[in-house]
């Protein structure tokens, strides 16, 4: 059911979930004994296994989301009905990743995406026209350019609407009739596009964007809203970071050793403390930088540090590699963040003893 995919897939910088986990999806379909809803490729139980991990025959299914299993059950149950799903959370809580993998498991194609920005227009939600064909022949079906949402309606698939709260209010409200009536009217052609069974929308919204373009109550009522929390424990966050770093390093063929648990522990500890404004032992307060200190940032930091070690080092992750990554991840607003980071180094990291001394010295050297 995938479409418009160019070969060879191994040359793609980032493979969509339906190709990255193709063997897992195929194994789940072959061993699926549950009832499959109209328009779906597998049962809700098989989708849950794909997202949270398990077995399909002899095939190991890797977890795509590490967290509260009940939240995933609620998300899948929402998509069984005619309700749309909205995933809300802090940056780095895997909203887009979960949206992509749900779409891949349920529909087999995760690429029907509207990316919400200040420049997103109502045409991106409904439809537009090939204006050369429109001027030549007037409004015809051939001149119609379907939006990802319209294509999902036509095929009974899932469309994804990323960062919906970044769109202007009139763009958001264009969704209301679509979600209520499951149709898009095309008056120029005198017809309506009616959604086939299986159609749904998964939207994501960032809690940091509240007040940018606040969603109307009418729009919110059309969604079942699930809030994805940040990882609850240091151990859970380490597990998430370790898994994703391994996957990304494999995809980019980074010729570097995977980060040791000690390096993972240090990076995640630093991020959690700067994010929460408190040391892990809750004995001291720390200042938070201006930027986002999310799990996704920790993953990016470690993969970049691996690339640094592979390209300009021995291939083994060193304190100097981590220090370079930390500097770039934390110091976003030059003046304020520089002071926050310097204070954290001197008031927290310096006091942690021999285990942290190498990283502390490397950070101080880069921080000047």
């Amino acid at each position: 059911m995938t479409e418009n995919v160019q070969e060879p897939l191994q040359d793609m910088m980032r493979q969509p979930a339906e190709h990255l986990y193709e063997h897992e999806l195929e194994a789940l379909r072959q061993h699926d004994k549950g009832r499959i809803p109209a328009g779906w490729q597998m049962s809700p139980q098989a989708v849950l296994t794909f997202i949270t991990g398990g077995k399909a025959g002899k095939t190991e299914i890797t977890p795509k989301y590490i967290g509260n299993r009940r939240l995933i059950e609620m998300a899948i149950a929402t998509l069984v009905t005619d309700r749309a799903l909205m995933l809300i959370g802090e940056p780095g809580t895997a909203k887009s990743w979960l949206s992509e993998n749900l779409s891949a498991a349920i529909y087999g194609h995760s690429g029907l995406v509207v990316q919400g920005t200040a420049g997103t227009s109502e045409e991106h939600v409904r439809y537009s026209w090939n204006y050369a064909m429109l001027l030549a022949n007037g409004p015809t079906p051939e001149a119609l350019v379907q939006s990802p949402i319209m294509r999902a309606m036509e095929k009974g698939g899932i469309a994804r609407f990323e960062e919906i709260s970044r769109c202007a209010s009139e763009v958001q409200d264009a969704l209301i009739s679509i979600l209520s009536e499951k149709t898009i009217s095309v008056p120029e052609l005198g017809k309506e596009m009616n959604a086939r069974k299986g159609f749904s929308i998964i939207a994501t919204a960032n809690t940091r964007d509240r007040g940018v373009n606040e969603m109307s109550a009418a729009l919110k009522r059309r969604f079942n809203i699930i809030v994805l929390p940040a990882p609850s424990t240091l151990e859970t966050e380490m597990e998430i970071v370790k898994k994703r770093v391994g996957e990304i390093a494999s995809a980019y063929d980074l010729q570097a050793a995977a980060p040791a648990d000690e390096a993972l522990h240090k990076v995640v500890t630093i991020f959690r403390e700067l994010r929460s404004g408190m040391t892990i032992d809750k004995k001291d307060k720390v200042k938070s930088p201006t930027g986002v200190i999310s799990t996704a940032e920790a993953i990016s930091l470690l993969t970049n540090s691996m690339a640094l070690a592979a390209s300009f080092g021995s291939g083994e992750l060193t304190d100097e590699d981590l220090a370079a990554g930390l500097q770039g991840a934390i110091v976003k607003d030059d003046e304020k963040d520089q002071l926050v980071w310097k204070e954290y180094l001197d008031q927290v990291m310096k006091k942690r003893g021999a285990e942290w001394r190498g990283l502390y010295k490397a950070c101080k050297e880069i921080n000047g």
Side-chain angles (χ1 to χ4, degrees):
M1 196 174 287
T2 56
E3 51 191 68
N4 299 328
V5 177
Q6 299 295 319
E7 301 288 352
L9 293 173
Q10 62 268 25
D11 291 338
M12 296 170 64
M13 286 190 69
R14 182 187 182 280
Q15 291 189 35
E18 57 268 26
H19 295 297
L20 188 61
Y21 301 112
E22 187 175 8
H23 68 291
E24 293 186 14
L25 291 166
E26 182 58 32
L28 284 162
R29 286 192 290 266
Q30 287 181 0
H31 293 87
D32 193 358
K33 293 182 173 25
R35 189 186 69 81
I36 301 176
W40 286 39
Q41 290 207 330
M42 60 182 71
S43 68
Q45 295 79 12
V47 175
L48 180 65
T49 301
F50 178 69
I51 300 297
T52 60
K55 297 276 285 187
K58 294 182 179 179
T59 302
E60 188 73 30
I61 307 300
T62 58
K64 316 304 178 298
Y65 178 84
I66 299 170
N68 190 322
R69 181 185 177 93
R70 192 60 174 169
L71 292 179
I72 306 304
E73 292 175 347
M74 290 164 60
I76 296 169
T78 292
L79 296 170
V80 173
T81 72
D82 65 351
R83 296 279 286 178
L85 172 66
M86 185 178 295
L87 304 173
I88 292 180
E90 289 282 317
T93 48
K95 301 180 296 296
S96 297
W97 180 242
L98 179 56
S99 167
E100 179 182 350
N101 280 279
L102 284 169
S103 300
I106 293 169
Y107 177 47
H109 181 46
S110 61
L112 298 176
V113 184
V114 177
Q115 181 61 54
T117 68
T120 303
S121 69
E122 194 170 331
E123 290 183 339
H124 292 103
V125 176
R126 293 178 175 274
Y127 60 88
S128 58
W129 296 96
N130 180 318
Y131 286 103
M133 295 178 70
L134 186 67
L135 290 172
N137 304 311
T140 63
E142 292 73 26
L144 185 72
V145 180
Q146 296 180 329
S147 70
I149 292 173
M150 186 181 245
R151 289 163 61 196
M153 292 174 69
E154 182 181 50
K155 295 179 179 295
I158 292 179
R160 299 165 53 210
F161 202 131
E162 295 292 317
E163 306 291 357
I164 191 172
S165 56
R166 288 189 172 275
C167 298
S169 300
E170 59 269 20
V171 177
Q172 295 178 24
D173 288 345
L175 275 176
I176 292 177
S177 63
I178 295 174
L179 294 175
S180 298
E181 306 300 328
K182 303 296 189 293
T183 62
I184 293 180
S185 177
V186 187
E188 297 91 339
L189 297 177
K191 72 170 192 176
E192 288 187 341
M193 169 68 71
N194 294 295
R196 294 179 61 184
K197 288 184 177 180
F199 165 71
S200 194
I201 293 176
I202 304 176
T204 66
N206 192 330
T207 52
R208 291 285 185 99
D209 290 338
R210 283 180 180 167
V212 175
N213 288 298
E214 191 66 36
M215 286 179 286
S216 67
L219 180 59
K220 287 180 180 178
R221 284 198 303 271
R222 269 68 180 183
F223 286 96
N224 276 0
I225 298 174
I226 292 178
V227 179
L228 298 180
S232 57
T233 66
L234 185 143
E235 290 74 22
T236 299
E237 189 161 3
M238 281 182 61
E239 187 180 353
I240 294 168
V241 171
K242 184 174 185 177
K243 178 181 181 300
R244 287 296 294 140
V245 167
E247 291 174 342
I248 294 169
S250 175
Y252 286 103
D253 194 24
L254 297 180
Q255 299 297 307
D261 286 347
E262 181 182 348
L264 283 168
H265 183 272
K266 287 176 182 176
V267 169
V268 173
T269 295
I270 292 167
F271 271 52
R272 290 181 73 85
E273 289 181 334
L274 289 172
R275 188 191 308 146
S276 66
M278 185 78 68
T279 55
I280 293 291
D281 59 14
K282 301 192 182 302
K283 290 182 179 179
D284 298 297
K285 291 184 177 180
V286 299
K287 293 178 181 175
S288 297
T290 57
V292 175
I293 307 296
S294 68
T295 307
E297 288 281 332
I299 293 165
S300 177
L301 182 158
L302 284 161
T303 51
N304 288 342
S305 297
M306 286 177 69
L308 194 62
S311 302
F312 304 106
S314 65
E316 297 285 337
L317 213 58
T318 66
D319 286 330
E320 288 72 22
D321 297 324
L322 288 178
L326 283 164
Q327 181 79 9
I330 293 165
V331 180
K332 300 283 174 62
D333 181 299
D334 215 28
E335 190 174 336
K336 181 183 177 185
D337 291 346
Q338 196 85 22
L339 292 172
V340 168
W341 183 223
K342 184 177 184 301
E343 186 174 309
Y344 179 86
L345 292 174
D346 292 335
Q347 299 300 319
V348 179
M349 196 185 293
K350 184 179 181 181
K351 299 176 182 178
R352 287 199 159 134
E355 185 184 347
W356 286 71
R357 191 166 297 135
L359 183 57
Y360 167 72
K361 288 181 177 178
C363 290
K364 283 293 286 185
E365 184 176 337
I366 289 178
N367 205 44

